[in-house]
Amino acid sequence: MKQVRGFTLLEVIVATAIAAIALLALFSAAGATSRNAAVLRDRTYGQLVASNELAELRARRSWPPTGALQGSADLAGRRWQWRGQVAATEDASIRRIDLVVLAEDGTTAATLIGFLGRPGGG
């Protein structure tokens, strides 16, 4: 008669421990992927907000004075705060604008440096 041999308790415990470690690593990786996706989403929306603000300044054909600018914008169902610093350049007909977009939690979502020419070219 053939004898059937099963797993010992030690083998079952080792196999369960290996499975638990593998699942823990899998869940950790899934959590990190989810957090990274949220950060990338915020950066993308922040870049869109900054680009929109710079495009709006250009479209208005305004010539902002040097100094600070600030405002807010709604995008993707969220409110984004932005701050800008307008500076003169070596060319008197060009202004440099440094924009920083903040997410709702106050973290920097994006930064953008742009240049604005004087309306009328001079």
Side-chain angles (χ1 to χ4, degrees):
M1 181 171 178
K2 188 174 180 185
Q3 189 176 21
V4 179
R5 182 179 182 278
F7 294 106
T8 66
L9 180 59
L10 182 60
E11 290 170 332
V12 172
I13 290 173
V14 169
T16 304
I18 291 171
I21 291 170
L23 286 173
L24 183 64
L26 179 67
F27 287 134
S28 176
T33 300
S34 177
R35 284 187 300 277
N36 287 340
V39 168
L40 289 175
R41 180 199 61 218
D42 285 353
R43 285 184 183 172
T44 300
Y45 289 150
Q47 279 299 133
L48 286 171
V49 169
S51 295
N52 287 346
E53 292 305 322
L54 188 59
E56 191 174 316
L57 284 170
R58 287 180 178 146
R60 273 194 255 140
R61 300 187 54 80
S62 64
W63 186 244
T66 58
L69 296 173
Q70 67 179 14
S72 61
D74 292 318
L75 181 69
R78 294 172 60 188
R79 190 98 169 134
W80 302 85
Q81 300 297 319
W82 59 268
R83 292 187 304 241
Q85 187 66 37
V86 180
T89 63
E90 292 180 15
D91 185 337
S93 63
I94 296 177
R95 294 267 163 94
R96 175 184 166 142
I97 303 174
D98 296 289
L99 291 169
V100 176
V101 178
L102 305 172
E104 290 172 324
D105 62 2
T107 60
T108 299
T111 58
L112 179 69
I113 298 172
F115 295 89
L116 189 63
R118 182 188 297 271

